[in-house]
Amino acid sequence: MHENRNMKIFSTGSALLLAAGLVFTAQQATAKTVKVHMVAKETEIAIDNKGTKYPAWTFDGTVPGQVVRVTEGDVVDFELVNPKENKNSHSIDFHAAEVDVLGEFAPVKPGETKHFKFTAKRAGVWMYHCGAPTMAQHIARGMYGVIIVDPKEGYSKKFPKPDREYVLVQGQYFPNAEDKAAMIENRGWAGALINGKMFHYDPVHDPDASLVLQAKPGERVRIYFVNANINMPVAFHAIAGIWDRVYLNGNPENALEDMATYNVAVSEAVIADIVSPADRPTNNAIVDHTMSAAMRGAITVLMNKPDADADAGKGDNILPR
Ligand SMILES: [Cu+2]
């Protein structure tokens, strides 16, 4: 009798342990290790559509740097190379990482390489940037980007699957790339950069612009927006539209609905969804409603038209260059 009862307890416990083991194994199986490699490049880039050159500091030669995209729970296996030809130390600060500012995020001298791993434990959209001193200058000169950590639960009623996705990163343009004090004190900035260029996707205000964002009427367009300004918040607004959802920090748990304008703090990242009328072609202008930024570059045209490019805003095309 006694023995039997013990046997029963033992076998129930084993079953529980086995079940826990299976769940653990399933989670281990879905979590991936994602290798991310970046090279700090001090190089000239074009800061407008006609090709005006600017002595930028970049990740991999582009502003913003590559879009890093992982799923909640994944391990990011990261390497930053600072080639010996560079004149400055550089670093990386992933807002999605919970590590040591004096360790993983410490500056890397020219000729050195930094390698570390972190687990992307929290879903959302996060800025990354160089944090080497003087940080204001390293960010102003172009060392920033976005890491998207997709929720492991996937899509739901609360977080619907988008039809198109676009990354927009706003920055401030300081023509005098050497004047660190001006950057810190917010003096002398002459333009607003969207993905590295003033009026990047706005042929209405800049005849040299050749790109726009596009979607079909009625589609859900998901914007991953990062404020990489040095000192200015962004009044994020879609002219002739309403944000159907705004997810603070890009987390499905932090949903706002029916928003005209959302104020994005410096370094903040959000998801903003817009759904255009399905019954006719329309256009939106996605702007920083702060006029000093809008009129100097922070306007992006979204065309909602039946013949929208089938590949636009999908897969690797979420950041048009
Ligand atoms: Cu740097």
Side-chain angles (χ1 to χ4, degrees), residues 122-297:
R122 304 180 199 245
V125 183
W126 317 80
M127 184 184 185
Y128 69 77
H129 61 88
C130 176
T134 302
M135 199 199 298
Q137 188 184 27
H138 285 253
I139 297 173
R141 287 179 79 150
M143 298 192 83
Y144 53 77
V146 58
I147 171 168
I148 300 170
V149 181
D150 289 314
K152 67 173 185 289
E153 291 84 9
Y155 300 117
S156 60
K157 191 164 185 291
K158 182 168 72 174
F159 189 60
K161 186 179 193 321
D163 298 294
R164 314 256 177 176
E165 301 176 295
Y166 291 106
V167 168
L168 296 177
V169 185
Q170 185 167 330
Q172 269 179 286
Y173 170 49
F174 289 87
N176 186 345
E178 299 301 331
D179 193 347
K180 294 180 238 188
M183 291 162 183
I184 293 166
E185 292 159 20
N186 214 37
R187 287 185 282 106
W189 66 281
L193 306 170
I194 298 295
N195 292 346
K197 292 190 172 98
M198 291 176 272
F199 300 110
H200 197 157
Y201 313 109
D202 182 9
V204 176
H205 295 91
D206 182 356
D208 291 316
S210 58
L211 298 170
V212 293
L213 307 189
Q214 38 184 312
K216 290 186 175 170
E219 286 187 331
R220 175 173 295 272
V221 176
R222 180 156 292 163
I223 309 288
Y224 301 89
F225 180 78
V226 179
N227 179 359
N229 282 346
I230 305 307
N231 292 297
M232 305 278 291
V234 173
F236 199 55
H237 175 76
I239 299 178
I242 292 169
W243 298 122
D244 182 65
R245 310 280 175 97
V246 174
Y247 299 95
L248 311 191
N249 213 120
N251 188 323
E253 301 298 323
N254 306 333
L256 301 175
E257 294 183 20
D258 308 335
M259 300 289 290
T261 304
Y262 178 72
N263 199 32
V264 188
V266 173
S267 88
E268 187 176 358
V270 298
I271 286 175
D273 280 10
I274 186 167
V275 182
S276 62
D279 58 347
R280 64 178 181 128
T282 59
N283 299 286
N284 297 109
I286 298 170
V287 301
D288 179 350
H289 214 299
T290 313
M291 286 301 137
S292 57
M295 301 323 293
R296 296 192 291 175

Side-chain angles (χ1 to χ4, degrees), residues 81-137:
V81 176
N82 191 359
K84 63 180 189 320
E85 294 74 29
N86 282 345
K87 293 189 172 61
N88 303 277
S89 290
H90 297 290
S91 72
I92 189 105
D93 172 341
F94 280 109
H95 287 194
E98 293 162 278
V99 289
D100 178 6
V101 63
L102 301 178
E104 286 87 341
F105 290 176
V108 184
K109 295 192 180 93
E112 293 182 356
T113 293
K114 179 122 205 161
H115 176 248
F116 65 88
K117 294 180 188 180
F118 69 93
T119 303
K121 289 180 190 156
R122 304 180 199 245
V125 183
W126 317 80
M127 184 184 185
Y128 69 77
H129 61 88
C130 176
T134 302
M135 199 199 298
Q137 188 184 27

